[in-house]
Amino acid sequence: MRITELFQRGEFVLTAEVGPPKGVELDHLIKDAHEYLKTRVHALNVTDNQSSVMRTGSLATCKVLKDEGLLPIFQITCRDRNRIALQSDVLSAALLGIENLLLLTGDYTTLGDHPQAKPVFDLDSVSLIHAVKRMEEGFDIAGNAIDGAPPKFAKGAVVSPCSDSVDVQLAKMEAKVKAGCEYFQTQGVYEPEKFIKFMEQAKQFGVPVQLGLIIPKNVGMCRYMNANVAGVHVPDEMIKELQADKEKTKAGDTGVEICARLIKECKDYAQGVHIMSLGWENRIPEILDMAGIAPITPVV
């Protein structure tokens, strides 16, 4: 099932992010997906060597999750593949029944555990979206015909509504929509007023947007994001909130409360929520309960 069908039905679409391990043991990931996420989110993003750290592949993990009765979203980045490999992986996804894509440029290799690796970036996210759209029309990006029936996907991308350069983000969003993007997930939002203001302008594009949340684990994590993650800013007041009760923060309760509050403040301006839990999948049901978001019927 393509998640664009859920948006078209007017559903508030819920997704979460899971990261493949640096190895082939997926039992823990599968267990968490069934225990904490199957009845709380419609689909699961599977990261593609997130932060340029080598891990088991996103596409293979998507196939495993699909076989488990879950709905995966194949994140695919331009960092590690040229246009031949990117298009080949997109066709492979269609062959395996993976219908949902999140198309990204990707983090630079120097951020990861193989800093000497050569970055590719033959395409960027906009040109990758365009390439997938062309494949849906029956041609590769070079204009060569694709054999048989063309694939069909739900094509997603990312936008950063809390960036200092709002006009740049709106321009990038417009370019992605023109290239064929059908839905957006935002970078982590901690400033609801900026998100709401951005969404008032972004609604002109007529494309659904999911509010992106990263569960804030501690002060150090927030300060790291402020210094290193483009488009993310955790306000001083929120950092003080995490500092106020260290035991509560250590237990994860403060981060849960912050995320639930952000959903409540922003949900009227979004068409869904995407939660990046960074290993805290067990807290996602609690966040959604506190935000007043009911369990869902799993979709495949």
Side-chain angles (χ1 to χ4, degrees):
M1 181 182 187
R2 295 189 289 273
I3 68 167
T4 44
E5 298 173 48
L6 299 174
F7 288 120
Q8 289 163 5
R9 295 205 303 246
E11 294 205 33
F12 193 73
V13 178
L14 305 168
T15 56
E17 187 172 277
V18 296
K22 197 179 182 70
V24 297
E25 297 293 336
L26 297 180
D27 291 350
H28 183 70
L29 186 153
I30 294 168
K31 178 178 178 293
D32 284 352
H34 279 294
E35 185 172 353
Y36 304 118
L37 303 176
K38 190 168 185 177
T39 63
R40 300 315 308 252
V41 300
H42 296 96
L44 298 173
N45 283 37
V46 182
T47 57
D48 181 18
N49 294 319
Q50 186 177 20
S51 301
S52 295
V53 174
M54 189 283 295
R55 300 174 182 270
T56 296
S58 176
L59 182 55
T61 305
C62 283
K63 173 59 175 170
V64 171
L65 293 177
K66 181 176 174 61
D67 289 346
E68 289 286 328
L70 300 157
L71 188 64
I73 298 174
F74 176 26
Q75 289 194 187
I76 180 168
T77 67
C78 301
R79 175 191 58 239
D80 305 318
R81 311 164 179 86
N82 66 14
R83 65 190 64 194
I84 296 172
L86 286 166
Q87 293 174 100
S88 178
D89 278 356
V90 169
L91 288 179
S92 295
L95 179 64
L96 296 174
I98 310 301
E99 299 180 287
N100 299 290
L101 306 177
L102 192 76
L103 305 163
L104 309 164
T105 299
D107 299 316
Y108 207 77
T109 55
T110 51
L111 297 175
D113 64 346
H114 288 66
Q116 74 276 21
K118 292 182 179 180
V120 181
F121 296 116
D122 186 22
L123 303 179
D124 63 12
S125 57
V126 175
S127 51
L128 178 56
I129 295 166
H130 170 71
V132 175
K133 181 66 174 177
R134 286 292 288 154
M135 295 171 82
E136 292 178 318
E137 296 167 347
F139 300 92
D140 65 23
I141 199 172
N144 304 304
I146 292 173
D147 295 335
K152 180 62 180 174
F153 301 99
K155 302 176 294 298
V158 170
V159 67
S160 298
C162 297
S163 169
D164 291 334
S165 304
V166 172
D167 290 342
V168 172
Q169 288 300 311
L170 288 168
K172 288 182 177 179
M173 191 176 183
E174 182 177 18
K176 291 176 181 180
V177 171
K178 288 181 178 178
C181 180
E182 298 171 290
Y183 72 96
F184 286 89
Q185 296 175 345
T186 78
Q187 179 58 280
V189 169
Y190 295 101
E191 300 170 287
E193 66 287 348
K194 284 189 176 181
F195 174 79
I196 292 169
K197 185 177 179 180
F198 181 88
M199 289 302 299
E200 290 289 352
Q201 298 178 76
K203 65 184 179 183
Q204 64 182 298
F205 303 125
V207 178
V209 177
Q210 290 178 275
L211 167 72
L213 297 173
I214 306 170
I215 302 176
K217 292 184 176 182
N218 51 52
V219 172
M221 172 185 171
C222 294
R223 287 177 173 162
Y224 176 86
M225 289 192 294
N226 282 350
N228 297 284
V229 182
V232 174
H233 177 70
V234 184
D236 291 341
E237 295 77 14
M238 201 169 286
I239 291 177
K240 290 178 182 177
E241 185 177 352
L242 289 162
Q243 289 174 321
D245 188 331
K246 292 183 180 179
E247 289 303 315
K248 183 179 176 183
T249 294
K250 185 177 179 181
D253 297 338
T254 307
V256 165
E257 291 174 0
I258 288 171
C259 285
R261 186 172 70 240
L262 289 168
I263 293 174
K264 288 180 179 179
E265 293 177 1
C266 297
K267 65 181 180 180
D268 290 343
Y269 299 87
Q271 289 72 51
V273 171
H274 175 64
I275 300 178
M276 295 160 272
S277 56
L278 302 177
W280 281 14
E281 288 78 16
N282 62 316
R283 305 310 299 262
I284 289 177
E286 188 178 354
I287 290 170
L288 295 174
D289 284 340
M290 291 179 66
I293 307 295
I296 57 98
T297 300
V299 297
V300 179

